[in-house]
Amino acid sequence: MALTPPSASPSVTVSITRTVDPARFTEASEWVQYGINLAHKYAGFLGSGWVRGSEDSATWNMLYRFSDPESLEAWENSDERTE
């Protein structure tokens, strides 16, 4: 039985790495959640997530995804994101 490959998706995934001062963990967490909540309002938003290497890691990695480059551009150039 031959498998048909999925069609190419125009979706776009962005990867960001940030270093967070451990003393500002709560503030950074709130900022991240606020940004995710804003992105959810935009057409084409497919999801996001933050990952740390360990519980005491100051390095945070984020991925977020939009359905196409135009949707990503609308989010990245939005007044809400700029704020």
Side-chain angles (χ1 to χ4, degrees):
M1 169 194 236
L3 296 175
T4 305
S7 60
S9 171
S11 63
V12 181
T13 302
V14 177
S15 174
I16 299 170
T17 300
R18 296 285 184 256
T19 301
V20 177
D21 179 346
R24 299 183 77 183
F25 177 84
T26 300
E27 181 183 354
S29 296
E30 291 171 358
W31 174 78
V32 166
Q33 190 58 54
Y34 182 76
I36 292 169
N37 291 344
L38 286 177
H40 272 281
K41 297 177 184 180
Y42 280 78
F45 180 72
L46 299 175
S48 65
W50 283 91
V51 178
R52 294 185 296 150
S54 66
E55 191 173 332
D56 59 348
S57 176
T59 302
W60 295 25
N61 299 288
M62 179 191 194
L63 296 175
Y64 61 93
R65 189 175 183 111
F66 278 83
S67 60
D68 55 69
E70 295 78 21
S71 297
L72 172 63
E73 185 175 351
W75 161 246
E76 289 190 335
N77 294 322
S78 69
D79 290 338
E80 287 180 311
R81 182 174 181 270
T82 300
E83 288 180 21

